[in-house]
Amino acid sequence: MLARRQWLFAMAALLPILAIFAWVRFYPIEETLRMSLHEWNLISKTRPFIGFANFQELFGDELFLTALFNTTVIAFGTLAITIPVGMGIAALINYRLGSRLAGVFETTTFIPYIVPLVPAAMAWKWIFDARLGPLNAFLSLFGISPLSWLFDPVLSVICVIVLCAWQAIGYAVLIYVVGFRNLPTNVFEAAKLDGASGLQAFWHVAVPLLRPITLYVSVVTLISGFNVYAQAYVLASDAQGAPGRQVRVLVLDMLENSFRNYRVGYAASEAVILLAIVLLLTLVQFSLLRERGAR
Amino acid sequence: MTVVPTEAETRPLVAEPSAPRRPFSALNLVIDIVLLLFCVLMLLPLLFLISNAFKTPQEILAWPPTLIPHDPIVSNFTAVLTTTPLLRWIGNSALFATLSTICIVATSSVGGYIFAKFKFRSLHAIFILFLATAIVPFEIYMIPLYFQAQQLHILNSIWGLLLGYMVMGFGIFLIRQNVEQTIPDELLDAARIDGANELAIFVLIVLPLLRGALAALAVLAFFQAWTAFAWPLIVGTTKDSYTIEVGLALFQTGFTIDLGRLSAASTIVLVPSVVLFAILRRNFVRGITATGLKE
Amino acid sequence: MSREHKSERPAGITRTAIFGATLGVALLGSSVSVLADQITVWSGYPEMAPFYQHVAEGLKAQFPDLTVDVEAIGLRDHEKRVALGISSQNAADVIELATSSATRYMQEDLLQHPPADVASYVQDPANFDKYFSDAASYNGQVYGAPLFRGQSALYYNTDMFKAAGLTEPPKTMDDYTKYAAKLAQRDANGNLTVSGWSMRLSGGGQGIAEKFWINMFQYGGNIVVQQPDGKWKMTLATPEGHKNLAQYIQVVHGDKSDTIEAPADSDAFERGQTAMFIRESWVIGDIAKKAPDLKYATSTLPMGSIVSPVNLFVGSDQHSAEAWAFIKAATSPENQLWMLENVGWLPNRANLDYTEILKKTPQFAAFVQLPKDYKFFQLPNIGPADEFLTRVAAKLTDDFADASLLNNDAGIDAALKSASDDGAAVLDRAGILAK
């Protein structure tokens, strides 16, 4: 009887939330899956079912493959910078935990993560500017001739990676600082007694113990890396009269196919690919953790 | 997917001034210097941006670039404020972020509590569904959601923006973990025996105990909406309905040449973000680290 | 949960709430007061905003209470909002749109039909040449009114020409390559400081293909040609296309008179970073604003130019009377001349008297006083025009950066074939590829 009353209360309280979720999450996700099997040009009344034709076309579509490639490079590139730098800086901050400055360091590294992206990207755009930017001015001090950061196909991708990493590092530092703080101190002391130096203890004790944190930060960084859009939009957008190389990324290609090429179904199939990647990454994270838990 | 209660919860993350200080050592000094340099590096792009905002058009085009304006002017700011509805855009963003925060806090507190304390198998299935939506990136179902907004005739409005940011799967998860760890069943049962009804228990007992977690969630939700880009970009097509991120981005593609004004506009946006972050820093850091602790 | 923070957490959330609520109230208040007599104009050219304001001023006599809200943003974002706005019945009252972008909306009958008097105003040859009224119509139905057109000419820096001993503008495409090599300036290390000819090698996808086509047209070629049956045939991988791409490669990798990373386009020209480039007439207005002291002249192109007509349409039935009145006013002879003089875009109105403006700004001559046999082409009026050009441009961008194509005829042919195939695939999918 009591259980039944509680169940009724729970359902009554949950129902509105369930309705909202169904409305703004379940249904649109289902629509994406459904539309990926259809052809629709945004303005016509009919939406013929075309099976997997969109997906077939995707894998012969060079713009999509470029976007997929760029996005993957950006995601893993960001990861490659974020993890070591984040872990290193967090270790140093952790070492100086007693200092008055620790809080300042932590907060400062975090600011890039919270500032709105567009103004931040604007700042980076100027830094990378081939003719006016301080980066080339700085490099010229070492006799390096100016590089065209935002125009070169390889360099422009690197620029996006730097911007993404700049934002992601603060988050990684924060999580790692918590991780370091939660490491059992006696393990370090034991290592020290065995004659290990601070650096050795860091490498052989802390890094392995932090594996779950590293895994978590990696997956979060990768997933947000695969969703990169605003960074590329501002840094390398195709504004009229403002030449610069467009770094084609998945979300950009998706929006362009939907709202510029009027191929909503085709864009939905791109979204499904993106979804598959994200699910795969999450799956990898869980299975690695489970494996570790089983041991 | 269990959350390990960590010491982050009990120890202040940002070092307290009262923390014991280590004795002075050369190593500490070196580490401080390294960290300080790193922090300056992280802030440098933003400082450049602010500096550019005060430069004359001639100085902006000067080579090598100057770091501090020789002859600071404010005309960039006055020009931006008179020619663009920048304040309106900031207002739109603030309103959107506030409403989104209210919705997310409301749905997450109710949902999290129900899922934590009403253990029915049917509810658990719903919880898993909710959680699954937290993994799916917004960009994937953004386009179908757009058509829903269109059918409701709420494009170009705050309500259209809000549609995408009413719930947060992760928020429900966060609150559920919190309730499980901090609110003992005995407390609720005692209240039930005293004759309190379920609603009263939630409002009078559970909510006050959740204040800390909800504050952290609120700040997370606020900044998530405040920095949203792709969704406002497609929902708002009229000048009055832009959020600050979108307004700035379109401003830059429309007037590429005027770097001084762009920087001024960006600075105006940066300031409230950083100030708000400074005020809410503690809650924010708590919220962010909570996201990292699901293992 | 920790105990020690209890006192400050609620403060945090309260601050957020107060902050938001204050702003919220202020905003809700302001957004309620939407004016009843207001029309919105959407433009993809920020420099056109003063023109629309000027037209609105002139409408005051007829509609004293009317306010006109002009929203001019970058072209790509403008096209996107038009797509979103029209498909959701949320479009502005007056929409400025190039024929190539408007075709799909006219096909689907998604733009408002003008009242009979406006339709006959547009179709009257005394007002607009048939070419331009057709550009604002589909299957005989008038949808909008012709406003201005993009048409290209050469801009060259006369000081730099003088310094290089050049007295005449280039006449043939061969001249262009030679001139570019002579005009390029380098620093002591051999780095290019002033490009001889800014060719548009990067940037907006569609723009690259467009500029490539303009140059190819000087050789008598086109990227794609419509067949008598209405379908389209790819003519990119042809001798004309070959000559054109070979010229790009020669300039960029052979003579290095232009480079991918060199500042380009009007910005570079205004700052003295390039000696010449091909662009539409709006640059004249832009130079007047941003570099009034620049010494430059214009010249017609060797063979002919692109014409891309831009029209005004009505996107919503809310205020159609005011919207059509606005469009008629914008295309009146006085306003059309004002537009040329103050913005620099070429009017599409027929029988305008340019003598006054030419006296003041002789550079317009290369746009309005044309050789007798000057030829024109236009971008295909097909639904997927943007996608088609973007695909071709994606390939061309890579080719421009490919130094191995220098003096490599087989490589150039293969590159063109590959770009052509990509374009053909888009046409084929739309069912308009001539086999």
Side-chain angles (χ1 to χ4, degrees):
Chain A
M1 190 58 196
L2 184 70
R4 189 172 163 69
R5 245 185 46 208
Q6 284 196 8
W7 189 84
L8 279 177
F9 170 76
M11 280 321 271
L14 216 50
L15 219 56
I17 302 173
L18 188 64
I20 298 176
F21 261 88
W23 180 37
V24 300
R25 292 289 183 270
F26 303 148
Y27 175 72
I29 293 173
E30 182 272 336
E31 272 292 288
T32 298
L33 297 176
R34 211 172 59 84
M35 273 203 298
S36 71
L37 304 176
H38 290 74
E39 187 185 323
W40 184 42
N41 73 357
L42 191 68
I43 42 186
S44 83
K45 306 263 181 310
T46 58
R47 306 182 188 189
F49 176 82
I50 52 167
F52 289 95
N54 281 332
F55 292 93
Q56 264 168 2
E57 192 186 334
L58 270 184
F59 287 98
D61 177 346
E62 285 185 39
L63 290 186
F64 166 73
L65 294 177
T66 311
L68 186 62
F69 177 76
N70 282 344
T71 313
T72 312
V73 170
I74 290 169
F76 281 92
T78 308
L79 182 75
I81 299 179
T82 305
I83 296 293
V85 175
M87 192 191 273
I89 295 293
L92 293 182
I93 291 181
N94 186 55
Y95 190 83
R96 298 290 291 131
L97 208 54
S99 152
R100 268 174 203 280
L101 287 172
V104 176
F105 293 145
E106 216 173 72
T107 311
T108 312
T109 48
F110 200 62
I111 284 182
Y113 186 77
I114 57 102
V115 295
L117 214 148
V118 176
M122 225 82 95
W124 281 98
K125 197 173 182 173
W126 182 70
I127 291 175
F128 288 130
D129 192 292
R131 289 280 160 146
L132 306 171
L135 182 59
N136 275 343
F138 179 72
L139 291 177
S140 70
L141 296 179
F142 304 94
I144 300 172
S145 56
L147 293 168
S148 48
W149 291 99
L150 293 172
F151 296 87
D152 183 275
V154 176
L155 292 181
S156 53
V157 172
I158 292 180
C159 290
V160 177
I161 292 177
V162 169
L163 174 55
C164 291
W166 178 69
Q167 292 208 297
I169 283 174
Y171 178 77
V173 166
L174 206 62
I175 303 287
Y176 271 122
V177 166
V178 177
F180 273 111
R181 224 161 284 178
N182 290 334
L183 290 181
T185 37
N186 54 357
V187 186
F188 281 101
E189 270 141 29
K192 287 234 175 81
L193 283 178
D194 291 345
S197 73
L199 218 57
Q200 279 171 329
F202 172 74
W203 188 250
H204 293 290
V205 181
V207 172
L209 280 176
L210 286 172
R211 245 193 68 196
I213 301 242
T214 305
L215 193 61
Y216 172 75
V217 177
S218 303
V219 170
V220 169
T221 311
L222 277 179
I223 289 180
S224 70
F226 271 98
N227 285 307
V228 58
Y229 171 58
Q231 291 89 339
Y233 181 96
V234 177
L235 217 48
S237 71
D238 62 341
Q240 269 286 94
R245 200 184 165 82
Q246 187 173 43
V247 175
R248 192 167 280 277
V249 293
L250 274 181
V251 176
L252 185 140
D253 201 54
M254 238 164 77
L255 287 176
E256 195 169 286
N257 272 323
S258 297
F259 299 131
R260 199 157 135 71
N261 300 338
Y262 304 78
R263 306 188 65 202
V264 180
Y266 192 63
S269 66
E270 282 183 89
V272 172
I273 302 280
L274 182 58
L275 178 61
I277 293 171
V278 168
L279 289 183
L280 186 74
L281 288 171
T282 313
L283 218 67
V284 167
Q285 181 196 11
F286 281 138
S287 61
L288 283 178
L289 280 175
R290 187 154 300 166
E291 188 182 301
R292 181 175 159 273
R295 253 190 295 147
Chain B
M1 190 120 181
T2 56
V3 162
V4 182
T6 67
E7 292 184 51
E9 301 288 317
T10 51
R11 278 201 228 164
L13 198 69
V14 178
E16 298 284 302
S18 59
R21 274 198 253 171
R22 298 186 187 203
F24 173 83
S25 81
L27 180 64
N28 285 352
L29 189 68
V30 171
I31 289 181
D32 279 351
I33 290 173
V34 169
L35 284 174
L36 213 59
L37 282 178
F38 181 78
C39 288
V40 170
L41 207 65
M42 291 294 274
L43 289 186
L44 212 52
L46 303 177
L47 298 178
F48 280 153
L49 191 74
I50 296 171
S51 155
N52 279 350
F54 290 99
K55 286 183 186 172
T56 59
Q58 293 76 26
E59 195 177 349
I60 276 197
L61 300 179
W63 180 265
T66 52
L67 299 185
I68 298 164
H70 292 306
D71 181 18
I73 52 164
V74 289
S75 61
N76 287 327
F77 289 92
T78 47
V80 171
L81 287 173
T82 49
T83 54
T84 60
L86 204 61
L87 295 179
R88 161 120 206 175
W89 296 340
I90 292 180
N92 283 346
S93 285
L95 182 61
F96 162 49
T98 307
L99 291 177
S100 161
T101 305
I102 293 171
C103 285
I104 287 176
V105 166
T107 52
S108 300
S109 57
V110 175
Y113 167 64
I114 300 283
F115 287 131
K117 291 296 174 196
F118 295 78
K119 298 286 186 192
F120 299 101
R121 198 168 289 165
S122 49
L123 294 189
H124 191 69
I126 299 176
F127 174 66
I128 296 297
L129 265 181
F130 280 15
L131 198 57
T133 65
I135 298 167
V136 182
F138 187 73
E139 284 75 7
I140 283 167
Y141 50 87
M142 181 169 72
I143 293 168
L145 200 59
Y146 169 83
F147 293 114
Q148 282 173 275
Q150 175 187 320
Q151 278 159 10
L152 293 167
H153 301 289
I154 52 171
L155 293 174
N156 295 317
S157 75
I158 293 290
W159 311 116
L161 290 174
L162 189 61
L163 185 71
Y165 287 78
M166 282 168 77
V167 288
M168 192 196 232
F170 171 74
I172 292 186
F173 173 75
L174 181 74
I175 299 302
R176 174 177 174 264
Q177 301 302 324
N178 232 286
V179 172
E180 279 183 347
Q181 288 156 29
T182 58
I183 301 180
D185 283 340
E186 294 76 28
L187 185 68
L188 305 179
D189 288 339
R192 282 187 188 115
I193 291 165
D194 288 347
N197 69 32
E198 294 293 339
L199 192 64
I201 291 173
F202 176 68
V203 175
L204 299 176
I205 298 175
V206 176
L207 274 188
L209 287 172
L210 282 178
R211 273 188 311 194
L214 289 179
L217 176 65
V219 179
L220 266 190
F222 188 88
F223 274 85
Q224 173 187 280
W226 179 256
T227 55
F229 182 71
W231 177 245
L233 184 69
I234 63 172
V235 169
T237 50
T238 60
K239 198 161 62 188
D240 282 347
S241 65
Y242 295 153
T243 61
I244 187 62
E245 289 268 72
V246 172
L248 263 187
L250 296 184
F251 182 68
Q252 77 127 22
T253 53
F255 304 86
T256 35
I257 192 150
D258 213 332
L259 199 60
R261 287 192 192 186
L262 273 176
S263 306
S266 303
T267 303
I268 296 172
V269 180
L270 274 184
V271 171
S273 309
V274 174
V275 167
L276 202 62
F277 171 66
I279 297 172
L280 302 173
R281 190 190 58 183
R282 226 175 265 272
N283 283 318
F284 195 88
V285 167
R286 286 170 41 80
I288 283 288
T289 42
T291 65
L293 298 175
K294 49 171 184 171
E295 284 187 13
Chain C
M1 281 270 118
S2 67
R3 267 143 264 116
E4 65 234 39
H5 292 147
K6 223 173 225 167
S7 57
E8 35 191 292
R9 263 178 245 128
I13 200 168
T14 317
R15 274 189 216 120
T16 323
I18 293 172
F19 176 70
T22 324
L23 272 164
V25 169
L27 270 168
L28 285 175
S30 72
S31 58
V32 172
S33 60
V34 171
L35 290 161
D37 280 340
Q38 176 173 352
I39 59 169
T40 303
V41 180
W42 277 356
S43 160
Y45 299 91
E47 70 271 16
M48 281 291 280
F51 168 72
Y52 293 116
Q53 300 291 4
H54 176 78
V55 174
E57 287 301 312
L59 271 185
K60 280 264 153 56
Q62 198 183 343
F63 299 97
D65 296 333
L66 184 70
T67 55
V68 178
D69 178 30
V70 180
E71 303 191 354
I73 59 175
L75 187 58
R76 298 292 162 249
D77 293 308
H78 168 64
E79 288 167 357
K80 191 207 70 195
R81 77 176 167 190
V82 169
L84 295 175
I86 289 185
S87 62
S88 63
Q89 277 105 48
N90 257 308
D93 302 291
V94 176
I95 302 176
E96 165 209 275
L97 213 54
T99 301
S100 54
S101 307
T103 302
R104 80 165 72 232
Y105 307 117
M106 296 196 276
Q107 258 170 9
E108 299 277 341
D109 201 24
L110 289 167
L111 295 160
Q112 301 292 316
H113 293 195
D117 65 310
V118 176
S120 51
Y121 163 79
V122 170
Q123 283 173 321
D124 185 348
N127 296 333
F128 303 99
D129 282 345
K130 186 170 183 310
Y131 175 83
F132 291 117
S133 53
D134 282 352
S137 314
Y138 192 83
N139 273 346
Q141 167 68 48
V142 175
Y143 282 92
L147 181 67
F148 67 84
R149 65 183 183 274
Q151 184 185 315
S152 293
L154 175 74
Y155 289 79
Y156 59 98
N157 184 314
T158 45
D159 286 343
M160 292 181 189
F161 266 53
K162 233 179 259 166
L166 301 165
T167 50
E168 291 279 300
K171 291 272 176 278
T172 64
M173 287 316 270
D174 274 352
D175 285 349
Y176 273 75
T177 309
K178 285 182 207 143
Y179 273 50
K182 278 188 198 156
L183 288 162
Q185 298 174 29
R186 291 163 217 282
D187 64 13
N189 301 326
N191 293 320
L192 195 68
T193 52
V194 174
S195 63
W197 175 19
S198 181
M199 296 190 81
R200 177 62 89 99
L201 304 165
S202 68
Q206 188 179 339
I208 291 174
E210 221 176 277
K211 305 292 178 288
F212 186 85
W213 195 335
I214 293 170
N215 289 6
M216 186 169 164
F217 192 65
Q218 312 310 321
Y219 290 106
N222 286 290
I223 290 183
V224 63
V225 198
Q226 192 164 26
Q227 301 301 104
D229 64 355
K231 299 208 168 185
W232 295 81
K233 184 167 183 251
M234 290 301 298
T235 47
L236 175 58
T238 51
E240 293 82 16
H242 183 105
K243 277 186 219 156
N244 192 29
L245 182 54
Q247 179 171 27
Y248 271 86
I249 303 294
Q250 179 61 36
V251 171
V252 176
H253 298 290
D255 304 338
K256 301 194 186 345
S257 331
D258 189 14
T259 57
I260 310 270
E261 65 274 15
D265 225 78
S266 59
D267 284 7
F269 191 69
E270 285 157 7
R271 293 183 202 161
Q273 292 164 332
T274 186
M276 59 177 186
F277 78 122
I278 295 171
R279 206 68 161 106
E280 299 96 335
S281 57
W282 60 265
V283 176
I284 295 176
D286 203 53
I287 292 174
K289 246 191 311 180
K290 293 174 186 160
D293 301 328
L294 189 74
K295 297 267 185 302
Y296 74 103
T298 58
S299 154
T300 51
L301 302 177
M303 184 83 103
S305 163
I306 189 174
V307 186
S308 65
V310 176
N311 315 293
L312 288 179
F313 298 98
V314 175
S316 142
D317 56 5
Q318 300 288 311
H319 302 282
S320 48
E322 289 86 350
W324 288 113
F326 181 89
I327 290 177
K328 269 182 99 166
T331 53
S332 72
E334 302 75 41
N335 280 332
Q336 289 267 284
L337 287 172
W338 192 96
M339 175 179 76
L340 178 66
E341 192 175 353
N342 294 283
V343 184
W345 281 107
L346 288 187
N348 283 353
R349 178 96 189 195
N351 308 319
L352 292 177
D353 180 10
Y354 295 116
T355 39
E356 281 305 307
I357 293 180
L358 282 177
K359 237 183 266 167
K360 243 190 277 175
T361 318
Q363 285 94 341
F364 280 121
F367 295 95
V368 294
Q369 294 181 338
L370 305 170
K372 253 215 161 74
D373 51 351
Y374 210 53
K375 293 190 174 61
F376 291 102
F377 75 94
Q378 60 173 348
L379 298 177
N381 291 341
I382 51 176
D386 289 348
E387 191 186 1
F388 170 78
L389 292 169
T390 305
R391 297 256 165 195
V392 172
K395 278 285 163 67
L396 291 176
T397 317
D398 290 341
D399 299 338
F400 296 157
D402 185 354
S404 76
L405 292 180
L406 187 63
N407 302 322
N408 173 0
D409 285 345
I412 287 179
D413 285 337
L416 287 171
K417 169 88 172 46
S418 152
S420 176
D421 289 348
D422 275 18
V426 176
L427 300 179
D428 197 18
R429 200 177 56 230
I432 50 175
L433 178 70
K435 304 278 175 182

